[in-house]
Amino acid sequence: MTVQRCEERAVQELLRAVRILASDADVQIEYVQRLGVGPDEMALEFDDAFRQVAGVTGMGFLPEGVMEAARPIDDQLQRMTSLPEDVWSKRSVRSSSEWQKLRLLAGAAGEGIQQLMNT
């Protein structure tokens, strides 16, 4: 696999994780139930993809700004990890301001990354 293809695949995984985080609460709950995991899995999937993109950034094929577009999501997830464990409950996914903010950040990041990849 070429370096360019590795970078593209990493960004596609990041976009997939971002889209899940941007989805409404019912879609997110259905997603984790289908996987048989808790809501924290969405954060773990994002983290894996974010770190993968970080690892391939600078090889010359990714537009600058992909990491910066996704960083607010990473920052929000870091803040959420310092909160009580209840933030990772399905009830919290549906009703907490932390998850609402995360969805807004993810929506903006997804649009920004997609625009960067289309230029």
Side-chain angles (χ1 to χ4, degrees):
M1 186 180 299
T2 67
V3 171
Q4 182 177 2
R5 182 70 184 125
C6 287
E7 288 182 336
E8 289 170 357
R9 178 178 263 175
V11 172
Q12 290 306 313
E13 285 299 310
L14 179 63
L15 276 171
R16 187 187 65 75
V18 167
R19 286 181 183 127
I20 292 166
L21 291 174
S23 297
D24 66 56
D26 289 335
V27 172
Q28 292 174 332
I29 297 299
E30 178 187 328
Y31 176 75
V32 297
Q33 285 177 333
R34 190 172 59 244
L35 293 178
V37 296
D40 62 323
E41 184 64 24
M42 293 182 285
L44 296 171
E45 288 179 354
F46 170 81
D47 188 62
D48 288 346
F50 186 70
R51 304 292 168 227
Q52 185 177 6
V53 169
V56 297
T57 297
M59 292 184 177
F61 297 101
L62 285 180
E64 290 193 27
V66 170
M67 289 297 293
E68 289 78 18
R71 192 163 313 284
I73 299 170
D74 189 56
D75 293 344
Q76 176 66 6
L77 289 169
Q78 292 298 321
R79 280 189 290 279
M80 289 170 67
T81 60
S82 69
L83 297 174
E85 195 170 308
D86 181 60
V87 76
W88 303 109
S89 71
K90 292 175 186 171
R91 182 181 57 77
S92 189
V93 170
R94 285 189 176 100
S95 63
S96 79
S97 60
E98 291 84 9
W99 278 93
Q100 291 171 5
K101 181 176 181 179
L102 181 60
R103 283 189 278 279
L104 291 173
L105 291 170
E111 290 176 18
I113 293 168
Q114 196 64 61
Q115 287 177 357
L116 287 166
M117 295 307 293
N118 291 335
T119 57

